[in-house]
Amino acid sequence: MKPTLFLCLITLLYSCVKNNTQIIDDATLVCTEQFVTLTLQINGRAPTSFYTLRIATSDTLRIPSYFENYYPIVDDGILSNLERDLLEEFVFVGERSTDTIREVFEIKSDGCHVIKVSGPDLIN
């Protein structure tokens, strides 16, 4: 009888622990006030125009400000339009007088900030 009771207790405890590891819902999500901007560093000739294409919706995103040779891809301003933990493809386009830069990025949201999953950090 004791081994059966022991197994029941182990099963009960395991199910309690398993239920505690569920995904945290938006009501308990705690975010910082940090505003994240994902950037691409471009060395060499600077683009005369730059923007980002959101492939899922065919939207063109323009963030007008940049710092030195760091150009914005996306920022937290689009969070309300992103589904949490869903990977999306974005294409950064930088137009120069002699060529065009096109770089693909995979980006997702954690509910608080945009997160770069893949894509280059630097273009020469």
Side-chain angles (χ1 to χ4, degrees):
M1 184 83 165
K2 286 184 180 183
T4 305
L5 180 62
F6 180 73
L7 286 174
C8 289
L9 283 174
I10 294 292
T11 304
L12 180 64
L13 288 174
Y14 176 76
S15 65
C16 289
V17 170
K18 183 178 176 184
N19 288 338
N20 285 337
T21 60
Q22 292 177 350
I23 296 173
I24 299 172
D25 63 359
D26 289 338
T28 58
L29 185 66
V30 178
C31 298
T32 65
E33 291 187 23
Q34 178 182 11
F35 189 82
V36 173
T37 301
L38 301 178
T39 61
L40 174 64
Q41 183 180 4
I42 300 175
N43 291 335
R45 285 187 323 277
T48 55
S49 173
F50 59 92
Y51 54 91
T52 302
L53 300 171
R54 183 178 178 189
I55 300 303
T57 61
S58 299
D59 288 340
T60 300
L61 309 172
R62 294 186 187 272
I63 304 171
S65 61
Y66 64 95
F67 179 73
E68 293 181 0
N69 59 340
Y70 290 88
Y71 294 85
I73 305 162
V74 296
D75 63 23
D76 283 347
I78 68 165
L79 274 178
S80 62
N81 298 321
L82 294 177
E83 187 175 327
R84 187 173 172 182
D85 293 323
L86 176 68
L87 277 180
E88 283 201 41
E89 195 171 275
F90 291 82
V91 178
F92 175 87
V93 179
E95 297 173 350
R96 299 192 274 199
S97 59
T98 58
D99 64 338
T100 300
I101 300 166
R102 294 181 72 82
E103 293 296 333
V104 177
F105 294 86
E106 284 187 326
I107 295 171
K108 69 176 187 174
S109 163
D110 64 0
C112 293
H113 304 291
V114 289
I115 299 169
K116 182 176 83 168
V117 176
S118 69
D121 294 322
L122 170 69
I123 299 294
N124 285 316

